[in-house]
Amino acid sequence: MDLQLQDRVALVVGGKGYIGTAVVDRLRQEGATVVVASRTADTTDGSATDSVAMDTADQAAVDAAVARVLEQHGRIDVLVVTAAPAANTLDPERRSDPDQVAAAVDGKALGFLRVANAVLPAQRQAGFGRVVVVSGQNAYLSGNITTSLRNAATNVIAKNLADETAGTGVTVNVVNPGTVRDEPSAEVRPGAGGESSPQQIADLVGFLSSPLSVVSGESISIAHRVLGSVTV
């Protein structure tokens, strides 16, 4: 399927990460011009237009990075945010510690909000835009306040942004993976979400980034959504 992304400009925040790398590859395969945002810009290939330095914890840094992309490319048709501290960096012994919870929400949910706030005005003005954020199925589960809240907050922010941009040509959606592995198992354990690979996530992100998709305001679980009862 031609996703009609040829010559579209996409900004992938966290594009050097495990999932982000697959998203970058997928969008480039569809012909999009992809700019990778990370804490340090990579200019080893001699190009200063395919990467940009961005610290999502700093609104001024986010604004400067987005302004640079707009200056160099003229527009940002697609925004994909995969950046967040890895779950294994969060201390399970501090899962209810307010400081860790606050830092985790800032690192994922508010980081996404900062970038979206910087990009959405240009998309609104253009009358077209696609925003996709990768969150997680922990948003549906209790047992770890840190991981539950940072993902739930991300999903709620995305829904609010989708409602705010309704009717403008801009869509905002969330992709919620369970466990992500290179070779995902087809088995789904009770109380867990299905496994998916970075490439499978990237395929879904690619469709949601496409002009062919008019889906907006949705939190979509990739692979099986949590099996069994769900506590929110």
Side-chain angles (χ1 to χ4, degrees), residues 32 45 47 52 60 88 93 129 141 162 169-171 192-193 198:
D45 62 356
S47 172
V52 65
N88 61 14
E93 296 300 320
L141 297 170
V170 178
T171 66

Side-chain angles (χ1 to χ4, degrees), residues 8-27:
R8 296 283 186 178
V9 178
L11 174 62
V12 180
V13 182
K16 292 182 181 180
Y18 185 45
I19 296 173
T21 299
V23 171
V24 168
D25 290 344
R26 187 71 179 90
L27 295 179

Side-chain angles (χ1 to χ4, degrees), residues 27-199:
L27 295 179
R28 284 179 174 161
Q29 288 169 11
E30 291 295 329
T33 297
V34 181
V35 180
V36 175
S38 58
R39 287 186 176 272
T40 56
D42 182 3
T43 57
T44 55
D45 62 356
S47 172
T49 61
D50 292 337
S51 65
V52 65
M54 179 187 292
D55 179 359
T56 60
D58 182 343
Q59 188 67 62
V62 170
D63 293 343
V66 169
R68 180 180 174 188
V69 177
L70 290 171
E71 179 182 2
Q72 291 178 334
H73 297 280
R75 65 190 196 277
I76 299 174
D77 302 299
V78 176
L79 170 64
V80 181
V81 180
T82 68
N88 61 14
T89 67
L90 303 172
D91 184 354
E93 296 300 320
R94 298 178 60 213
R95 59 186 176 273
S96 302
D97 180 272
D99 290 337
Q100 176 169 271
V101 172
V105 171
D106 188 86
K108 189 164 193 172
L110 297 186
F112 163 59
L113 180 59
R114 292 184 188 102
V115 181
N117 281 342
V119 171
L120 283 170
Q123 292 189 338
R124 284 174 177 267
Q125 184 175 8
F128 176 85
R130 297 290 181 266
V131 177
V132 185
V133 60
V134 177
S135 183
Q137 291 194 35
N138 279 326
Y140 311 134
L141 297 170
S142 64
N144 187 318
I145 292 177
T146 299
T147 57
S148 295
L149 190 55
R150 74 171 188 160
N151 288 323
T154 300
N155 295 5
V156 170
I157 288 169
K159 172 57 176 169
N160 277 270
L161 293 177
D163 289 353
E164 290 174 9
T165 57
T168 67
V170 178
T171 66
V172 184
N173 292 288
V174 184
V175 173
N176 291 310
T179 300
V180 183
R181 304 186 189 279
D182 290 339
E183 298 182 4
S185 171
E187 179 184 1
V188 182
R189 296 178 291 104
E195 295 183 359
S196 57
S197 70
Q199 290 72 30

